[in-house]
Amino acid sequence: MNVPEDILNLIFEAIQPLSLKQHQCNVPQLQQRYRWLLPMAAVSRSWRQACLRHLYRILIIEINSETASSNIPALLEIGQEELARQVCVWVHGPESILPEKLHEELQRAKLFATAWLNVDTLHVWQQSQNMVNLQHSSQIAKGEWEQLNTDLSISLPSLRQISLDDLSSHDAYGHLWLNQLINEHMAGPHRLTSLRVFSDTPPRLQHPIQITRLHIDGVTFSRPLAPTWLRIQAECLRELTLGSVSPQSLWDLFTSTREQLVFEQLRSLRLVFFWTSRFVPRARNAIVFDSDSSDSSSDDYELPAACGFMASRYGQPKFPQLQSLELRRFAGDLPQFLTLFASSPPYRSQLQSLVLAGLKTELPAHLDLALFPHLQSLDVRIVDYIREDDQLYLTDLLTQAFGSAPSHLSRLSLSINFDQIPEFQFPSLMPFDQSLRSLKLVMEIEVGDLLQLLQRLPAIDFLIVEDIEMSPVTSLALLVQRLRDMESLSPVSLSLTQLHTLLANSRNPHAYYALLLFVVCRLPQLYLLRVPEDAVVLLNKAVKTLVSAGIAANRAPHLQHLRVLPWAL
């Protein structure tokens, strides 16, 4: 088959991407894609050459209590080790795996058979159904972990990115088992540029932390901080995620070569304060970098009472290049905290995307978003239930947020959980009614309110709405009859092209007939509709029926080209 190489690459890229983002390391899915690609390598020589890049760019290793599988032996057999760029390891089973067993299975998978000079990324995803505490077991000797980490370091000398998902490290092993490997690559000619740890205990770092992307989730950071904690170099960071931080000790995590704490290159910042207000860590040594030290006498720096969470040892931190900010569950003075990221001489705020998530008590109604003149995207998420007596609060919050946001805002996402659906009057989206292109509503909205809302948004192109309240259409025949009987179908939006909806509260599949009748048929530019997977066949059948009956051509010609696909997050 004479297919141009660039077209072949596009085909294979759609099946198996050449690089994975951290959240895409889904080994079962990768294995399925590998099985799809393998027969294509036998089509012709050109297909084989194009296919091999996608087959072996990602080394896949699956380890469980009974079996292990890998695509590494096949790659070694054809002698093209230079194709490999990433390693993805999935460890799962009924119990946490012993280091000796893990080392043995990685050896059997041939990971240690050579030095993978072109591999720069390691993903490890460890899952255990039962978190067996092996911390004090005589089965685990310190040398076993050291040997495993040493062999990983030798086989992966060019590591620049490490991603580890393991929420049982502390319960099972008493420490983060990749500590040695991480430290091996924190300095030197192939210094880590990205470290992502989603675990119940943070890495115990031994080198100064100069890193571009740092994500530490799942742990609780103590206050006051232990003197042995190494600080993160503020000037190097471009992306930063910290989960479960304390507002009072947050800035103590950072150091600077200047007199001020200036995050010169930071573009994306995500801070989660949730765990500190709800949970207490199980053991002190689970929350410090150096497990041999105690934080009981670590009051090496006290924030001045007047400054609180606003200041560091360097004064107020600065964020001259910050473009994306996400704050979750901040229980302090949120409006005051937001001023840290606003314009401050000699720096001007460059913030374009803002996510605010919290309880009603954590999201005050008097938010002032005029602080961010370049804001393009706003995401407000109220995580607890809105009840009838909260309607005034909700109206004030949304009205204030909408009223103070820049008029050129193009993307708005609202997540609102109603305990019982009140008669809530959706507020005006002024001043950006004319410019809003993307809207997400994680709530139920009455179909009449939705249509009125769309009429107020002449530029809207993309809409996600969790649920739409409407009267069901009980059969396909009734849908056809009602459309035939209608004198006209006046459009409610001439700009909307994509609609995603779950109809989450609807147990009746015939609600999707109502979706076609009341919403889809009145959106003449709509070309993509995403719904739950079990509704795709039903809707496609309904659309084909409307087209074959001639109703689509007369009433809603866009149905002839409408694509109905499963909901995709």
Side-chain angles (χ1 to χ4, degrees):
M1 296 179 65
N2 296 321
V3 181
E5 185 178 349
D6 55 343
I7 302 299
L8 275 179
N9 285 328
L10 288 174
I11 294 172
F12 296 145
E13 175 72 19
I15 299 175
Q16 180 74 296
L18 285 176
S19 62
L20 293 176
K21 294 182 179 178
Q22 291 154 347
H23 66 279
Q24 293 176 319
C25 188
N26 185 319
V27 173
Q29 188 178 74
L30 291 176
Q31 290 171 326
Q32 179 63 50
R33 290 172 174 175
Y34 179 83
R35 287 190 286 269
W36 290 343
L37 276 172
L38 200 56
M40 299 183 190
V43 173
S44 68
R45 181 175 296 179
S46 60
W47 276 60
R48 174 181 170 81
Q49 289 304 116
C51 192
L52 286 179
R53 295 175 60 242
H54 295 265
L55 276 171
Y56 298 114
R57 192 176 182 93
I58 303 167
L59 304 181
I60 306 168
I61 304 171
E62 178 188 359
I63 300 170
N64 61 36
S65 56
E66 298 177 356
T67 62
S69 62
S70 171
N71 63 346
I72 296 178
L75 176 57
L76 292 173
E77 187 175 336
I78 64 173
Q80 296 194 37
E81 296 89 337
E82 70 278 2
L83 293 175
R85 295 293 187 275
Q86 301 186 40
V87 176
C88 196
V89 181
W90 181 31
V91 184
H92 63 104
E95 295 180 351
S96 304
I97 192 168
L98 290 167
E100 183 180 11
K101 170 71 171 175
L102 180 57
H103 187 271
E104 178 184 321
E105 294 300 339
L106 290 176
Q107 208 163 25
R108 185 177 301 172
K110 304 294 184 182
L111 181 62
F112 305 140
T114 186
W116 303 92
L117 300 179
N118 292 333
V119 170
D120 62 5
T121 303
L122 171 65
H123 302 273
V124 180
W125 179 24
Q126 174 147 295
Q127 294 177 306
S128 300
Q129 296 173 10
N130 299 312
M131 297 180 184
V132 179
N133 192 328
L134 306 170
Q135 184 175 357
H136 303 295
S137 172
S138 58
Q139 301 177 77
I140 301 182
K142 186 177 181 181
E144 292 184 23
W145 287 121
E146 290 180 349
Q147 186 60 51
L148 173 60
N149 278 264
T150 298
D151 286 352
L152 283 170
S153 185
I154 293 172
S155 298
L156 306 173
S158 305
L159 270 185
R160 304 299 301 276
Q161 303 182 72
I162 294 177
S163 175
L164 171 65
D165 282 82
D166 183 0
L167 283 173
S168 61
S169 286
H170 180 262
D171 282 338
Y173 311 123
H175 68 283
L176 197 77
W177 58 276
L178 276 183
N179 273 328
Q180 183 181 337
L181 178 68
I182 291 171
N183 280 295
E184 285 286 334
H185 292 275
M186 285 305 299
H190 292 288
R191 180 171 56 86
L192 281 182
T193 60
S194 175
L195 173 61
R196 177 186 172 275
V197 175
F198 186 55
S199 178
D200 54 0
T201 185
R204 191 171 60 217
L205 300 173
Q206 299 168 359
H207 298 283
I209 309 173
Q210 298 181 2
I211 200 164
T212 305
R213 295 190 298 274
L214 179 64
H215 299 251
I216 300 180
D217 258 332
V219 301
T220 299
F221 293 89
S222 63
R223 181 182 189 272
L225 298 175
T228 52
W229 275 49
L230 292 168
R231 306 313 197 228
I232 305 165
Q233 195 76 33
E235 291 86 351
C236 300
L237 285 165
R238 291 180 63 88
E239 295 178 18
L240 175 64
T241 294
L242 292 175
S244 310
V245 293
S246 164
Q248 287 76 19
S249 62
L250 170 60
W251 308 122
D252 284 6
L253 292 168
F254 304 96
T255 186
S256 176
T257 56
R258 300 183 173 190
E259 294 182 357
Q260 276 191 308
L261 189 63
V262 181
F263 293 82
E264 293 179 347
Q265 302 185 61
L266 191 65
R267 302 294 196 275
S268 175
L269 175 61
R270 180 175 178 266
L271 300 174
V272 183
F273 301 91
F274 174 76
W275 302 99
T276 56
S277 62
R278 291 286 302 275
F279 299 104
V280 176
R282 290 180 292 272
R284 290 185 182 275
N285 67 354
I287 55 174
V288 295
F289 285 149
D290 184 353
S291 63
D292 296 326
S293 66
S294 168
D295 62 353
S296 58
S297 60
S298 57
D299 194 10
D300 58 322
Y301 176 73
E302 272 296 319
L303 295 176
C307 296
F309 51 78
M310 299 291 288
S312 72
R313 66 187 68 226
Y314 303 91
Q316 284 199 17
K318 306 293 183 183
F319 304 87
Q321 300 295 327
L322 191 65
Q323 297 176 1
S324 176
L325 174 63
E326 181 173 343
L327 302 176
R328 293 173 178 258
R329 299 301 312 275
F330 182 78
D333 188 335
L334 182 60
Q336 186 186 15
F337 190 64
L338 284 172
T339 63
L340 284 178
F341 310 98
S343 297
S344 176
Y347 305 110
R348 290 177 57 82
S349 173
Q350 304 297 319
L351 198 68
Q352 298 178 13
S353 174
L354 177 62
V355 178
L356 300 174
L359 302 171
K360 297 187 293 287
T361 55
E362 297 164 345
L363 293 175
H366 54 284
L367 288 174
D368 182 10
L369 301 183
L371 297 168
F372 311 112
H374 300 290
L375 200 64
Q376 299 284 335
S377 173
L378 173 63
D379 189 341
V380 178
R381 308 173 190 176
I382 304 173
V383 299
D384 53 346
Y385 283 111
I386 294 291
R387 297 178 170 83
E388 288 191 19
D389 56 354
D390 296 318
Q391 291 188 60
L392 180 59
Y393 156 79
L394 182 59
T395 301
D396 288 346
L397 170 65
L398 298 183
T399 302
Q400 175 68 21
F402 298 163
S404 63
S407 59
H408 54 259
L409 195 74
S410 61
R411 180 186 178 277
L412 174 65
S413 177
L414 298 175
S415 178
I416 303 171
N417 300 303
F418 289 109
D419 184 17
Q420 295 179 342
I421 305 300
E423 294 182 3
F424 174 66
Q425 182 65 40
F426 200 88
S428 169
L429 298 181
M430 292 294 288
F432 43 85
D433 279 5
Q434 303 301 309
S435 61
L436 194 69
R437 298 196 306 271
S438 175
L439 177 63
K440 178 180 179 181
L441 301 173
V442 185
M443 56 183 285
E444 180 178 278
I445 186 169
E446 203 275 330
V447 66
D449 291 340
L450 177 62
L451 298 181
Q452 289 182 17
L453 180 62
L454 290 174
Q455 288 175 327
R456 301 206 310 257
L457 303 173
I460 191 74
D461 175 68
F462 182 87
L463 173 66
I464 296 178
V465 57
E466 185 176 58
D467 202 6
I468 307 171
E469 184 182 4
M470 48 195 170
S471 302
V473 176
T474 55
S475 69
L476 182 54
L478 183 59
L479 170 65
V480 172
Q481 186 61 46
R482 292 188 65 172
L483 281 171
R484 278 179 174 162
D485 292 344
M486 283 185 175
E487 294 184 3
S488 64
L489 277 173
S490 56
V492 294
S493 173
L494 297 176
S495 59
L496 191 69
T497 63
Q498 297 186 56
L499 172 63
H500 299 206
T501 182
L502 287 173
L503 293 191
N505 293 332
S506 175
R507 297 180 181 178
N508 187 345
H510 297 149
Y512 292 97
Y513 294 151
L515 179 69
L516 285 174
L517 176 65
F518 297 118
V519 181
V520 173
C521 285
R522 304 185 66 182
L523 302 171
Q525 299 302 316
L526 191 73
Y527 72 83
L528 178 60
L529 173 64
R530 288 193 181 271
V531 293
E533 189 170 3
D534 56 1
V536 171
V537 173
L538 179 144
L539 274 172
N540 274 318
K541 180 181 178 182
V543 170
K544 287 180 180 178
T545 301
L546 295 177
V547 171
S548 61
I551 295 175
N554 298 325
R555 300 285 186 175
H558 64 286
L559 293 182
Q560 300 174 75
H561 309 289
L562 181 68
R563 299 178 64 199
V564 182
L565 298 176
W567 175 285
L569 295 177

